[in-house]
């Protein structure tokens, strides 16, 4: 194949004294000598505890052996490298080009008992690294290890905060900087290549050494793929060529805010009326309690028996149509578990569709004062049964979309239909769950009309998850778990190939002494007007939080910001279309367009919204002004029209309702942007 | 040698399919097969950070290799076992009997680059394990790993407490269950053998597996010694035969409490007068500020320039004599560092007696708003110079004793005169520091007349540290860091061969919201009457703490409990003499005398004081009664004379001043004990 041949030529393997070096399009990928080997194999026994989606993961490491000898054997297209340590420990690396012209490294341990691999990729001290899924605390990942395991994100996520400590004491739930719903063994280096590992086992990507990245892989084999490009935009196009891209969103998404409401038809109607009367553009009502509620000490929980509950939502089928005629979709909620004490679980159990314990019984997971069975998505029949449930109980009823929640809780000691260890399937679960939802839309022709949004993800979510949301932020201003954390989350996911991201306006987690303030809700609202979707959430303790309809200031802020959002509709749609076509994300790190500016590589709390809007959300309380960085370009303050020449930090007034946003003076959308000055 | 020959006969090496088993006096010590090897070697790079004696220790593990093949080669007296993995990785184990008839295992890695050893000793699921130095949180060590590294003990020592979290946030100082001033790679198994490892490198003894104990040793060689005995008393006699024993204490120690006072002659005199007038037996004044003070934000600190400060203590030489004539010794304070901004440091620096940085400069350690040089105790000249300083500035002045503080802070990146890595010398430092003090006494003929007490320790402290104290308890009731923690500390140290232990009456660490209460001080006072030494401490923030002279209740409690203590003088002296002769500790775990009673192996908060007193200190606030366990024997309540037949739990009244203490009805000291009823 011509492509492979050409790419093969850009692949260079140089024999060194005692080793070899592998370069790919002039990037040094591997460097091996007896003194500085690139490969270790070993054995360990994973020690994994889960409590309500919070994981304690340790490795009982039995062996870790440096493979210091490497014999290179040329092949037709590539090389086999035979790594050995003495006469008893071996592994093989196949270096080649895949059918699409990517560099492919295939590793395989020779001993069945060796279930660990550590591979060191060459690095330069000055490299920055991005990606690894949705990372809330760091955007540039250089300098730290990043364990890759889908889980709850943690409450607080910083051992120095009192909130984290309280959550740790209660349920080991405090989390840490790397906890995420959506990890992925994929990163982009500023050497302008990406590296993607195909496995779904537990991995730990350690970017802390100056001259290598160490990838620890808890399996006996691994396949790595690499592509290079001349710039980051091309690189993301290639990455999403590998991983898949999200389809365009339904048109109605751009028409306003989706209001998170619970409590039945009348509450929905009443809140909708209040907001519309206040001038708020509303495109939907998102009611997660459509299937009823269960009371627990944590608060009201949704009844996980996925069927319209006529007590709370009488005549929902007709109400949905009325609302839709007014331009308001009805959105709802589902997850891949069925409450153990309800009939859908009973049915799944009878059909043999739940995952099992080692002694062949149904596995029930504790979710906080109730249990649920896990639909075995590796069983094609179970998968189809659940897909049909989505079609029948959600799509047929006319829902505009839903939150496809969870996916992080696959216990590692459950037994699956496909025979693969749950420890290996754990990370793959969110993407399987996404696929189930996606196919339900695809097979009913509803893609582009109905939208589901997910918090959990993994490789495959790029293709199958139509929208991500940032999960469960605290209702606070903390960098690691508050409003601010949504920005690196969106950007790191963008660098992992998922370009559609939004968050709960006002945050979600309301525990201990945390209560959502009016200021936080208003700042979050204005930030969300510069993301591809606006949606509110009451939080897990609605009564402790300020809500969107609490007073006229807040309603006015929603009126203003939804007007901004809907005014930007053509601009945002255009950016979403580009994401769909070429994987260019909607919320972009600045270096995608200003790659010669070293400053742009370390910005974690500002971004480009499409090509022409630079957004620096206010994420600290009591701020009347805000400092941000403008790269070299001609910028115009979105609210005042004041021109700025970029190339340094500036401080601007940032009253509520006017978050720091700048547009490029030369933008073809300048007229649209100018119109926002008068809102 | 006859002894060795006999012991050699009790050493059995059995060849197994694919391995071997080693038994010693019918205890299985090692069991090796290819599937379940007993030895791993490897390489790592220690990553050690110190901040004010708090250490963060990680291993950058490069390799860990199971040595699965073992070839046994008989020797004249013992065997060599040649362990290999393939043709390139090897280590040798020499199994023999040492000159004293002990089982000796000598391990040596063959590759210079392999600086890690993991050895698995055979174990039975039902074994209990004790020792490993001074352990504050656990007495039976089974079920957990115990890293062995001398350091601060931590403030709180339990990640679930708010105090610990605050200390962690401020200075990474919160600690954990295994943090200790006095670790030691020595343990006693209920199979009635001890195991002692001679190295001083970082080790981690992991007792969590059912069928082995894994000893991780951060060095390329190790020497292990074992002895067996028919009972624990004989076993401790053998262990202290190896490690050394403490000399008897000065007679005056038994004559009352040593009052911790600061602030100069007049404050000492005034407090002494108040206490004596209140009927308190006082044997000494312990004034740590004899060399002056330094003000820091932490509070008053001692000026680390070890010379009598005439401003605070004018005419101390004559005052000492007056007090001594009244039966009151003057005790003081020193540690192995010299304040960088004072003349002793300048002199040590000129003489080249300070440890160095890697570029040859003097190493100065940060101690909290001031720095100090580290006397290089591996330099014989520096060691002698410091010993002479102790003789001249402390002993010649007539001090009755001193706190020989610290020893835990040897930085791992300092360069030492003896050329040994500071990482390896770090643990050895406390015993070197003890030896310097001990020899100063020995060479001036003051052993048995002057007493120094230490908090830091390691192998060698048994012989050279004349008394231990439990370090810096919180002024609270917490199990891991309060009054209670002193009991497992004393008992674990007893099982490590050090039989003299006491604590700061009232605790020391006064941080955050902690303040010493009157009740705590009174309970600690009554507990201390049943330890070999009574001594108070003001704490680091004296003004926040209730002190011994604060009110008449407290003074009366001290009067009562010092009377108990001095009344017990002949009994305690006898127990101390036994400790000196045969290593039978003064504070003893119950199983030393009731080894057939399984209940006694898990008691961590009660002990035997000598042979005939059973003590169960009240360590919770607001207790008017207390539940304890009495082993099968005839017991008499020390305060009421009420007889009890042991063999179960009992609950007794425990008002302040009457801590639960029982004596054996058949004790030859019964009359002495009876006399205490009328105090």
């Amino acid at each position: 194949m011509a492509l492979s041949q050409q790419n093969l030529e850009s692949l260079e393997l140089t024999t060194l004294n005692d080793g070899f070096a592998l370069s790919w399009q002039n990037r040094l990928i591997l460097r091996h000598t007896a003194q500085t080997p690139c490969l270790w194999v070993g054995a360990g026994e994973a020690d994994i505890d889960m409590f309500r989606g919070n994981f304690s993961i340790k490795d009982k490491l039995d062996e870790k052996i440096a493979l210091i000898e490497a014999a290179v054997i040329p092949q037709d297209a590539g090389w086999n490298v035979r790594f050995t340590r003495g006469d008893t420990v071996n592994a093989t690396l196949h270096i080649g080009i895949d059918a699409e012209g990517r560099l492919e490294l295939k590793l395989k341990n020779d001993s069945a008992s060796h279930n660990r691999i550590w591979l060191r990729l060459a690095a330069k001290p000055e490299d920055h690294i991005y990606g690894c899924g949705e990372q809330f605390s760091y955007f540039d990942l250089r300098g730290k290890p990043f364990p890759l395991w889908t889980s709850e994100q943690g409450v607080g996520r910083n051992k120095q905060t009192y909130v984290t400590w309280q959550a740790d004491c209660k349920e080991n739930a405090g989390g840490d900087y790397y906890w995420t719903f959506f990890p992925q063994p994929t990163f982009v280096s500023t050497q302008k290549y990406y590296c993607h590992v195909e496995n779904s086992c537990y991995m730990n990507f350690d970017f802390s050494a100056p001259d290598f990245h160490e990838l620890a892989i808890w399996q006996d084999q691994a396949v790595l793929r690499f592509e290079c490009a001349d710039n980051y935009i091309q690189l993301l196009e290639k990455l999403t060529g590998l991983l898949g891209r999200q389809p365009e969103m339904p048109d109605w998404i751009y028409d306003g805010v989706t209001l998170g409401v619970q409590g039945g038809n009348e509450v929905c109607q009443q809140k909708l009326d209040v907001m519309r009367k206040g001038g708020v553009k509303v495109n939907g009502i998102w009611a997660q309690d459509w299937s009823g509620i269960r009371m627990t000490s944590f608060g009201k929980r949704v009844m996980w028996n996925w069927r319209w509950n006529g007590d709370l939502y009488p005549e929902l089928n007709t109400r949905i149509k009325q609302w839709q005629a007014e331009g308001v979709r009805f959105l709802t909620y589902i997850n891949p578990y069925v409450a153990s004490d309800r009939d859908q679980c009973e049915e799944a159990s009878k059909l043999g569709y739940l995952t099992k314990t080692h002694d062949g019984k149904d596995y029930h997971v504790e979710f906080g004062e109730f249990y649920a069975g896990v639909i075995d998505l590796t069983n094609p029949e179970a998968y189809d049964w659940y897909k049909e449930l989505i079609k029948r109980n959600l799509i047929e009823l006319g829902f505009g979309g839903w939150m496809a929640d969870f996916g992080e809780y696959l216990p590692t000691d459950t037994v699956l239909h496909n025979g693969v260890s749950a420890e290996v399937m754990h990370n793959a679960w969110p993407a399987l769950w996404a696929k189930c939802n996606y196919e339900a839309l695809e097979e009913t022709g509803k893609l582009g009309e109905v939208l589901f949004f997910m918090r959990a993800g993994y490789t495959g979510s790029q293709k199958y998850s139509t929208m991500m949301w940032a999960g469960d932020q605290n209702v606070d201003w903390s960098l690691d778990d508050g409003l601010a954390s949504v920005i690196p989350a969106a950007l790191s996911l963008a660098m992992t190939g998922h370009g559609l991201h939004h968050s709960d306006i006002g945050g979600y987690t309301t525990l201990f002494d945390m209560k959502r303030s009016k200021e936080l809700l208003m700042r979050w609202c204005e930030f969300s007007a510069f993301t591809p979707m606006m949606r509110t959430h009451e939080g897990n303790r609605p009564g402790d939080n300020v809500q969107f309809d609490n007073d006229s200031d807040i309603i006015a802020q929603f009126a203003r910001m939804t007007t901004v959002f809907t005014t930007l509709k053509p601009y945002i749609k255009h950016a979403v279309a580009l994401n769909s076509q070429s994987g260019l994300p909607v919320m972009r790190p600045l270096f995608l367009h200003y790659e010669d500016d070293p400053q742009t590589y370390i910005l974690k709390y500002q971004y480009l919204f499409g090509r022409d809007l630079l957004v620096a959300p206010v994420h600290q309380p009591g701020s009347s002004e805000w400092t941000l960085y403008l790269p070299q370009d001609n910028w115009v303050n979105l609210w005042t029209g004041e021109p700025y020449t970029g190339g340094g930090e500036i401080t601007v007034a940032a009253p509520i309702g006017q978050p720091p946003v700048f547009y490029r003076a030369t933008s073809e959308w300048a007229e649209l942007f100018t119109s926002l000055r008068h809102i």
Side-chain angles (χ1 to χ4, degrees), chain A:
Chain A
M1 192 177 202
L3 180 65
S4 288
Q5 192 52 44
Q6 186 191 352
N7 283 328
L8 195 56
E9 279 161 20
S10 65
L11 192 58
E12 260 187 277
L13 194 140
T14 316
T15 303
L16 307 173
N17 184 22
D18 243 11
F20 70 91
L22 176 74
S23 289
W24 166 238
Q25 299 184 10
N26 300 314
R27 281 84 167 169
L28 180 65
I29 302 294
L30 293 176
R31 189 176 183 285
H32 175 91
T33 69
Q35 270 62 51
T36 56
C38 71
L39 185 65
W40 283 251
V41 299
E45 190 191 336
D47 179 3
I48 301 179
D49 272 341
M50 176 176 84
F51 182 68
R52 298 184 185 168
N54 305 308
F55 288 83
S56 153
I57 303 178
K58 287 179 224 145
D59 197 9
K60 291 184 189 163
L61 184 71
D62 191 52
E63 288 210 305
K64 181 181 179 183
I65 302 176
L67 298 181
I68 59 181
E69 301 106 20
V72 178
I73 306 137
Q75 303 287 304
D76 274 357
W79 300 267
N80 274 348
V81 185
R82 180 94 182 130
F83 285 93
T84 54
R85 177 63 172 279
D87 52 358
T88 54
V89 184
N90 323 299
T92 305
L93 168 67
H94 174 74
I95 301 167
I97 303 293
D98 75 8
E100 309 298 323
R102 303 179 191 103
L103 169 61
E104 182 184 71
L105 302 183
K106 285 174 123 166
L107 270 164
K108 181 86 191 74
N109 291 351
D110 292 340
S111 161
S113 71
H114 279 149
N115 60 0
R116 298 283 183 271
I117 292 171
W118 295 262
L119 179 69
R120 289 189 178 173
L121 300 176
K124 294 180 184 171
E126 65 272 23
D127 295 346
H128 299 279
I129 296 293
Y130 305 97
C132 284
E134 188 177 28
Q135 296 290 343
F136 295 93
S137 291
Y138 292 94
F139 176 45
D140 180 0
L141 309 182
R142 204 72 199 278
K144 288 207 166 285
F146 288 83
L148 300 171
W149 187 257
T150 180
S151 73
E152 286 284 346
Q153 71 170 158
V155 176
R157 312 184 70 262
N158 180 331
K159 299 304 183 197
Q160 300 284 309
T161 71
Y162 186 48
V163 164
T164 308
W165 178 71
Q166 289 176 88
D168 272 339
C169 287
K170 282 199 202 290
E171 307 192 339
N172 191 29
D176 213 330
Y177 69 89
Y178 55 85
W179 285 35
T180 177
F181 306 106
F182 188 160
Q184 191 173 307
T186 309
F187 68 87
V188 166
S189 161
T190 44
Q191 289 192 41
K192 291 181 190 155
Y193 70 81
Y194 74 75
C195 166
H196 171 66
V197 183
E198 287 188 354
N199 308 39
S200 64
C201 63
Y202 178 91
M203 297 187 223
N204 187 354
F205 283 14
D206 188 344
F207 301 111
S208 54
D211 51 358
F212 58 82
H213 309 312
E214 184 172 282
L215 315 186
I217 300 168
W218 288 17
Q219 215 169 6
D220 61 350
Q221 55 82 28
V223 178
L224 292 82
R225 293 191 201 281
F226 299 77
E227 280 187 286
C228 303
D230 293 335
N231 61 54
Y232 298 104
I233 294 170
Q234 286 173 17
L235 193 61
L236 287 182
E237 184 166 4
K238 289 184 174 182
L239 179 59
T240 54
L242 171 70
L243 300 172
R245 298 178 190 125
Q246 304 85 57
E248 293 192 44
M249 301 191 299
D251 192 74
W252 57 265
I253 290 287
Y254 308 96
D255 292 338
V257 62
T258 306
L259 296 175
V261 183
Q262 294 186 77
N265 293 338
E266 298 323 313
V267 178
C268 292
Q269 187 65 55
Q270 182 266 327
K271 288 188 186 269
L272 177 62
D273 291 345
V274 166
M275 295 304 272
R276 287 193 297 199
K277 195 193 275 176
V280 179
K281 311 280 191 294
V282 181
N283 69 355
I285 294 161
W286 167 60
Q288 61 176 15
D289 60 348
W290 70 292
S291 60
I293 59 160
R294 176 196 298 274
M295 287 307 303
T296 74
S297 67
F298 185 76
K300 274 189 207 170
R301 301 284 300 263
V302 175
M303 180 55 73
W304 294 9
N305 203 45
W306 312 115
R307 182 184 298 117
W308 165 28
N309 181 308
D311 294 338
L312 255 178
Y313 291 90
E315 297 167 1
L316 183 60
N317 48 352
T318 36
R319 294 297 283 259
I320 283 178
K321 285 185 191 127
Q322 287 166 15
W323 283 326
Q324 187 165 343
E326 300 169 19
V328 177
R329 259 62 180 185
F330 189 81
L331 293 83
T332 179
Y333 177 98
I334 189 171
N335 69 44
Y337 312 99
V338 282
S340 302
D341 53 359
R342 288 296 180 275
D343 70 290
Q344 283 174 344
C345 186
E346 196 184 330
E347 187 182 346
S349 171
K350 272 193 199 142
L351 293 164
Y353 290 169
L354 299 177
T355 73
K356 302 284 186 241
T357 64
H358 280 281
D359 53 2
K361 295 188 184 128
D362 291 335
Y363 198 112
H364 294 275
V365 178
E366 207 268 346
F367 279 93
E369 300 170 36
F370 71 96
Y371 285 81
V374 182
I375 302 299
D376 189 344
L377 300 173
T378 71
N379 176 348
E381 284 181 20
Y383 177 94
D384 286 343
W385 177 79
Y386 215 56
K387 196 202 295 180
E388 291 307 313
L389 184 151
I390 292 172
K391 290 180 187 172
R392 196 175 56 247
N393 291 2
L394 283 78
I395 298 175
E396 275 184 23
L397 210 61
F399 292 161
W402 56 87
M403 174 181 277
D405 204 9
F406 285 95
E408 310 86 352
Y409 283 55
L410 185 75
T412 54
D413 59 346
T414 195
V415 175
L416 301 174
H417 179 269
N418 69 351
V420 178
S421 154
E423 197 183 307
V424 170
M425 287 307 295
H426 173 86
N427 274 339
W429 214 253
L432 257 180
W433 171 225
K435 186 162 178 268
C436 185
N437 285 271
Y438 185 89
E439 290 179 357
L441 291 190
E442 196 175 37
E443 293 168 13
T444 51
K446 296 289 184 186
L447 269 179
E449 185 183 332
V450 171
L451 184 89
F452 66 91
F453 43 99
M454 300 191 76
R455 65 172 198 182
Y458 198 71
T459 307
S461 293
Q462 287 79 4
K463 186 167 178 185
Y464 295 118
S465 181
T466 54
M467 167 56 100
M468 300 304 303
W469 100 94
D472 303 345
Q473 279 67 55
N474 284 344
V475 292
D476 70 15
W477 302 93
S478 63
L479 290 180
D480 291 286
D481 206 2
L483 192 169
S485 69
V486 176
I487 309 169
L491 298 184
S492 56
L493 210 51
M495 296 307 291
T496 315
H498 205 301
L500 295 178
H501 192 266
H502 78 297
S503 63
D504 292 341
I505 294 177
Y508 169 80
T509 304
T510 314
L511 290 173
F512 315 120
D513 297 329
M514 288 188 277
K515 293 178 197 315
R516 180 198 292 160
S517 68
K518 177 174 167 179
E519 185 186 2
L520 182 73
L521 181 60
M522 288 170 76
R523 286 298 192 187
W524 215 308
C525 171
E526 68 189 32
F527 159 49
S528 293
F530 299 93
T531 70
M533 181 172 180
M534 292 185 79
R535 180 184 51 79
T536 65
H537 199 308
E538 297 177 325
N540 63 302
R541 287 181 184 161
D544 285 354
N545 288 330
V546 171
Q547 303 293 353
F548 57 72
D549 57 349
N550 274 187
D551 71 30
S552 57
D553 294 347
I554 304 171
I555 295 171
Q557 170 80 342
F558 273 86
R560 172 177 170 80
M561 299 319 301
T562 53
T563 303
V564 169
F565 181 69
T566 54
T567 303
L568 289 173
K569 177 172 180 173
Y571 175 76
I572 306 174
K573 268 192 87 158
H574 177 69
V576 170
L578 282 180
N579 178 63
S580 180
Q581 289 153 26
S582 64
L584 183 60
V586 178
M587 295 167 73
R588 305 176 194 165
L590 271 62
F591 62 78
L592 256 57
H593 294 290
Y594 299 94
E595 69 169 63
D596 293 334
D597 182 346
Q599 192 63 26
T600 62
Y601 291 84
I602 54 170
L603 296 171
K604 126 169 134 168
Y605 296 123
Q606 58 183 79
Y607 60 96
L608 295 172
F609 186 52
R611 171 64 191 100
D612 294 335
L613 288 177
L614 186 151
V615 185
V618 173
H619 59 71
Q620 293 296 338
S623 306
S624 58
E625 49 184 36
W626 197 251
T627 299
L628 69 148
Y629 180 81
L630 286 181
Q632 208 120 51
D633 211 332
N634 292 311
W635 298 99
V636 181
N637 185 315
L638 185 65
W639 314 114
T640 66
E642 201 180 344
Y644 287 83
T645 305
E649 277 198 347
I650 58 162
T651 299
V652 295
I656 285 178
Q658 296 191 12
V661 180
F662 295 80
Y663 64 86
R664 292 171 71 222
T666 57
S667 170
E668 57 181 302
W669 304 89
E671 202 175 323
L672 180 74
F673 300 148
T674 307
S675 73
L676 292 174
R677 271 179 230 163
H678 312 294
I679 284 175

